[in-house]
Amino acid sequence: MFALLKRDLYLALYSSSSFFYTSSFFILILIILPFLFGTNDVQLQVLFKGIIWIGLSLSILLTMERIFNADYEDGNLDVIIQRYPSLETIIISKYITHWVVYCLPLFIILPILSFLFYVSLDNFFLIFLNLFFGSLGMVFIVTFVSALTLGAKRTIFLKAIIVIPLFIPFLIFGTNLGSWPILLALSMMSFVLSMYVSAYGLRLYVE
Amino acid sequence: MNLRLTNKQINIIEKANPFLIVSTIVAFTFGLYFSLLQSPPDYIQGDSMRIMYIHVPSAWFALMAYTILAGSSVLWFITRNPIFSIIARSIAQIGMIFTLISLVTGSIWGKPTWGVWWVWDARLTSMLLLFFLYLAYIFLWQSITNKDLASKISAALAIVGFVNIPIIKFSVDWWNTLHQPATISKLSSPSIDISMMVPLFIMTLATFLFLITVFFIRLRIEILDNKILRIREVK
Amino acid sequence: MNELKIKDLTCYRGDNLVLKDLNTKLKSGDSLVIRGSNGSGKTTLLRVLSNFIKLYNGKILFNDHNVLEDANYRNCFNFVGQKNCLKDNLSVKNNLKLWEIIYQKNISYSKLLEDFNISHLMERDVASLSDGQKKCISLLRLNFTESKIWYLDEPFVFLDEANSQILIQKIKNFNTNNGIVIITSNINLQNTFTNEIKI
């Protein structure tokens, strides 16, 4: 299990999807805001709560081909499955890697971002909690969609069409401060669903 | 496996088809007569409300089609009989079209009622998301070239989508109560007069017959398609 | 002594019969070449043997244990398929590092690359290598396990004369160390390996 996790993290590190890339992405998505909507601080606060979710969704969604597709296409998935016969182990390792690489940077730079957009301390904690529990569920969702679409023609748009409707509940509750318990519940539900469906998808494709 | 897809099924469909087409036309003639001429106009909305007789049945059947889609996907997992995969595929396209019809008619109805073509009403928004669930299913099926695999994968997606519908519905409703401006009136009045119930009932029946007719035509095409595919593969 | 037995193996892919009533028996030190035209089921056979495909009729026995039930079997073989298991955007060294973690075995990379005389490629990106060089590197995966069986899917494709000879030598060495090798190929290897079946 830990060897696999180590391997996935090393792979992410080598593929130069380092902390700086992801966090720069988040910062740039948010920097667009004042250019588009002006510098009115009340308005920016409202928009910040929404756009940060768009940034998170994009970061998770655009990179979803790295979860299973890359390993499937170059054959590494075969090797991994031979060495680690429990598919659940493989899937959990992918969850952790994807979350650490594409979500964790957001949480590290979130204090600075909230500062830039005049978010009060109380709101900061609520936003943080919402993003945290929401991002877990969103990672579970892209993982199973990635496992299901391994053999589909390689297009991120197809995957986006499948994923975004499933993201909507997270986005709805995510932008409402204080609804982190609901997000936690949604994440737990998607965890159960994702485990089954990802394992099913992987089993089909290695055959 | 394909042995279970016999000519018998196609024969039944072909025999039923003319009968279905005739009864659909008859039902629509009656339905349209009652809904456009016989029933009174709404005392607030006037004649524009008559679009309800198309809008409401198609919205119902759009939802029903997804239930059938998910149900046949589950049955496919249990029995592995390819006919269920074919049923799922045929109903998906029809369901998508019904969703589209209900969206478009809802929007046309909205113009005289609300003064705008689109309102971010909970029901309209959920229907819009349902449309994308259908779209995802159809696109996924098309994008996988190995059709055996495609039916397994898209069946899984259909079930996932079905599990998600109540969650999406719940969250959209909740979102709507937060953001809905107070001025918007609800689409349907709380009680429908009996003079409107009769045409609505006939139109529902007509729409249902139409759905079955189109479904059988699609089913026949899909079965034949499947056969051609098998024959090609074996050769 | 190890023994691999294939008994009445029949396998369908979809509705197509791919493998029909295959019987064979291999002992330590044996090698077997499987010949057949494109699409005749050679790769399917190797994927059945390496337990990726689990739906088939007949039995595969390794030391008289059914491989589907033998949890230890997965450590007994190594499979090098036509996909080269290399990340294009990484250097050769990083790729080897990733394998090292998966296989949990420490190996001196430079010594490994000397096998095919490609030590100079260590720092190069895989994307910049030729197909033959990639193939050589993907075959190095065989050194990461102490396996008893090698399944090689078209190993000679893209390899030049010199590297083919090196590979043949590697296989022969493995055979003398009691290894079993199954190779698929669509070229004639009768001069090198006498044991051959056609499917």
Side-chain angles (χ1 to χ4, degrees):
Chain A
M1 166 81 204
F2 290 109
L4 198 56
L5 186 59
K6 189 175 157 199
R7 180 260 175 191
D8 283 341
L9 288 172
Y10 262 100
L11 173 61
L13 184 71
Y14 289 152
S15 314
S16 67
S17 36
S18 69
F19 168 75
F20 295 102
Y21 283 77
T22 324
S23 43
S24 311
F25 173 77
F26 285 121
I27 295 172
L28 281 167
I29 288 277
L30 286 162
I31 281 181
I32 298 173
L33 273 183
F35 293 122
L36 288 177
F37 303 103
T39 50
N40 178 335
D41 58 342
V42 182
Q43 203 185 3
L44 277 184
Q45 263 186 57
V46 175
L47 291 169
F48 172 77
K49 276 196 300 180
I51 302 291
I52 197 148
W53 280 91
I54 293 188
L56 182 65
S57 310
L58 286 179
S59 155
I60 296 175
L61 182 66
L62 295 177
T63 52
M64 68 184 280
E65 302 212 318
R66 300 195 184 169
I67 303 179
F68 290 121
N69 276 74
D71 280 339
Y72 173 70
E73 273 156 29
D74 61 29
N76 271 305
L77 196 58
D78 285 349
V79 178
I80 292 171
I81 287 174
Q82 188 202 333
R83 302 294 298 177
Y84 302 88
S86 142
L87 293 177
E88 284 71 20
T89 312
I90 300 171
I91 295 163
I92 288 177
S93 161
K94 295 291 182 187
Y95 289 153
I96 298 175
T97 317
H98 205 66
W99 190 83
V100 166
V101 179
Y102 301 110
C103 299
L104 188 62
L106 174 64
F107 295 102
I108 296 171
I109 56 164
L110 194 62
I112 306 166
L113 288 174
S114 331
F115 176 70
L116 287 178
F117 288 90
Y118 318 109
V119 177
S120 69
L121 194 63
D122 291 350
N123 280 352
F124 165 75
F125 284 117
L126 291 174
I127 290 176
F128 187 93
L129 280 177
N130 271 6
L131 281 172
F132 180 75
F133 290 118
S135 62
L136 293 178
M138 285 155 85
V139 167
F140 299 147
I141 283 177
V142 288
T143 306
F144 85 71
V145 174
S146 160
L148 278 187
T149 53
L150 276 181
K153 279 169 204 137
R154 225 180 151 174
T155 136
I156 196 71
F157 292 112
L158 168 72
K159 291 169 192 174
I161 292 172
I162 299 174
V163 166
I164 291 175
L166 305 179
F167 271 2
I168 298 261
F170 290 96
L171 302 183
I172 287 176
F173 288 108
T175 46
N176 182 58
L177 297 185
S179 49
W180 60 267
I182 300 176
L183 287 166
L184 175 62
L186 284 175
S187 293
M188 290 195 307
M189 275 193 273
S190 36
F191 176 74
V192 176
L193 194 69
S194 169
M195 263 305 190
Y196 276 107
V197 181
S198 319
Y200 174 73
L202 288 184
R203 212 166 282 139
L204 278 185
Y205 283 107
V206 292
E207 257 194 20
Chain B
M1 271 214 288
N2 62 336
L3 297 177
R4 282 187 252 177
L5 288 178
T6 52
N7 289 328
K8 213 171 125 196
Q9 286 161 327
I10 297 183
N11 278 342
I12 295 171
I13 292 170
E14 278 173 352
K15 275 189 190 132
N17 245 343
F19 174 74
L20 278 171
I21 291 170
V22 170
S23 47
T24 307
I25 293 171
V26 170
F28 263 116
T29 320
F30 271 95
L32 290 175
Y33 171 72
F34 274 102
S35 54
L36 295 181
L37 302 171
Q38 261 323 44
S39 67
D42 189 79
Y43 75 101
I44 301 170
Q45 300 179 15
D47 280 332
S48 72
M49 150 281 178
R50 290 181 199 277
I51 201 168
M52 176 191 86
Y53 299 122
I54 299 279
H55 174 78
V56 172
S58 52
W60 282 343
F61 290 122
L63 286 168
M64 193 190 80
Y66 207 95
T67 316
I68 296 174
L69 170 61
S72 51
S73 300
V74 170
L75 282 175
W76 184 86
F77 271 112
I78 297 169
T79 62
R80 298 282 157 160
N81 188 334
I83 191 72
F84 288 116
S85 152
I86 292 171
I87 288 177
R89 240 176 303 147
S90 325
I91 202 80
Q93 290 163 337
I94 299 169
M96 189 179 80
I97 298 299
F98 271 105
T99 318
L100 197 63
I101 292 174
S102 76
L103 281 173
V104 171
T105 51
S107 155
I108 294 173
W109 191 5
K111 180 65 181 162
T113 316
W114 299 319
V116 280
W117 290 106
W118 181 267
V119 169
W120 290 99
D121 162 77
R123 254 179 286 175
L124 280 175
T125 314
S126 319
M127 278 316 250
L128 190 62
L129 288 173
L130 181 68
F131 177 75
F132 283 105
L133 287 180
Y134 275 122
L135 205 67
Y137 177 88
I138 292 166
F139 280 173
L140 183 62
W141 159 264
Q142 283 176 349
S143 71
I144 300 175
T145 31
N146 178 347
K147 289 306 174 197
D148 267 334
L149 203 59
S151 50
K152 291 175 191 171
I153 293 293
S154 35
L157 184 71
I159 294 168
V160 168
F162 192 65
V163 173
N164 258 284
I165 283 182
I167 299 175
I168 292 178
K169 178 83 179 107
F170 163 69
S171 52
V172 169
D173 280 349
W174 183 85
W175 158 81
N176 207 235
T177 53
L178 272 192
H179 298 271
Q180 193 182 39
T183 50
I184 290 168
S185 63
K186 283 279 169 194
L187 257 185
S188 61
S189 41
S191 65
I192 296 180
D193 191 75
I194 188 76
S195 58
M196 293 176 184
M197 282 292 272
V198 175
L200 182 61
F201 176 76
I202 301 174
M203 280 306 282
T204 308
L205 186 73
T207 316
F208 181 69
L209 283 168
F210 175 66
L211 181 135
I212 296 290
T213 313
V214 181
F215 174 61
F216 271 30
I217 294 171
R218 277 236 58 89
L219 204 59
R220 179 168 167 266
I221 294 171
E222 292 283 353
I223 292 176
L224 291 175
D225 242 14
N226 199 26
K227 283 195 151 192
I228 293 168
L229 205 75
R230 301 284 165 181
I231 291 165
R232 255 194 217 141
E233 255 180 32
V234 171
K235 273 185 181 169
Chain C
M1 275 305 256
N2 298 312
E3 188 184 49
L4 182 72
K5 237 189 269 180
I6 302 175
K7 267 188 177 170
D8 303 324
L9 180 67
T10 301
C11 184
Y12 283 88
R13 302 303 281 156
D15 287 330
N16 300 340
L17 178 64
V18 184
L19 300 169
K20 200 188 169 198
D21 288 335
L22 208 66
N23 280 295
T24 189
K25 200 160 106 180
L26 291 166
K27 280 204 265 314
S28 289
D30 284 351
S31 52
L32 173 69
V33 177
I34 295 159
R35 299 255 339 251
S37 48
N38 295 338
S40 61
K42 291 171 303 205
T43 303
T44 305
L45 176 60
L46 288 193
R47 289 190 78 79
V48 167
L49 286 170
S50 19
N51 259 0
F52 289 120
I53 298 173
K54 291 179 173 152
L55 260 176
Y56 52 82
N57 297 323
K59 265 186 192 158
I60 298 163
L61 302 171
F62 183 62
N63 294 341
D64 293 324
H65 295 292
N66 190 332
V67 295
L68 287 178
E69 288 145 20
D70 186 0
N72 199 32
Y73 174 67
R74 67 188 173 84
N75 296 321
C76 296
F77 69 89
N78 203 334
F79 172 82
V80 176
Q82 293 180 40
K83 293 174 172 177
N84 54 28
C85 292
L86 293 168
K87 301 279 168 196
D88 263 352
N89 53 340
L90 303 190
S91 68
V92 173
K93 193 175 164 189
N94 287 347
N95 269 296
L96 292 176
K97 169 84 180 166
L98 291 178
W99 286 347
E100 191 182 79
I101 302 172
I102 293 180
Y103 285 110
Q104 291 171 300
K105 186 177 182 190
N106 293 322
I107 267 183
S108 145
Y109 302 155
S110 47
K111 218 175 142 214
L112 205 61
L113 290 176
E114 272 168 26
D115 276 7
F116 286 101
N117 303 323
I118 44 174
S119 310
H120 57 286
L121 300 178
M122 180 76 92
E123 301 294 338
R124 289 264 296 275
D125 271 3
V126 170
S128 69
L129 303 182
S130 74
D131 285 335
Q133 287 167 326
K134 284 184 201 168
K135 190 85 202 177
C136 289
I137 296 167
S138 82
L139 285 164
L140 292 178
R141 213 151 47 75
L142 294 171
N143 297 26
F144 280 87
T145 52
E146 310 286 344
S147 44
K148 295 161 186 154
I149 313 173
W150 284 356
Y151 297 125
L152 308 177
D153 196 4
E154 305 280 3
F156 294 101
V157 172
F158 299 128
L159 288 192
D160 59 19
E161 193 57 39
N163 283 332
S164 298
Q165 286 310 320
I166 295 172
L167 179 59
I168 288 170
Q169 203 48 52
K170 262 176 97 110
I171 294 172
K172 294 251 151 110
N173 285 343
F174 184 63
N175 274 336
T176 48
N177 291 325
N178 287 331
I180 300 171
V181 184
I182 295 184
I183 307 165
T184 66
S185 172
N186 45 26
I187 52 163
N188 195 344
L189 296 167
Q190 204 107 54
N191 303 331
T192 349
F193 305 104
T194 44
N195 206 349
E196 180 181 289
I197 51 174
K198 284 202 168 110
I199 57 173

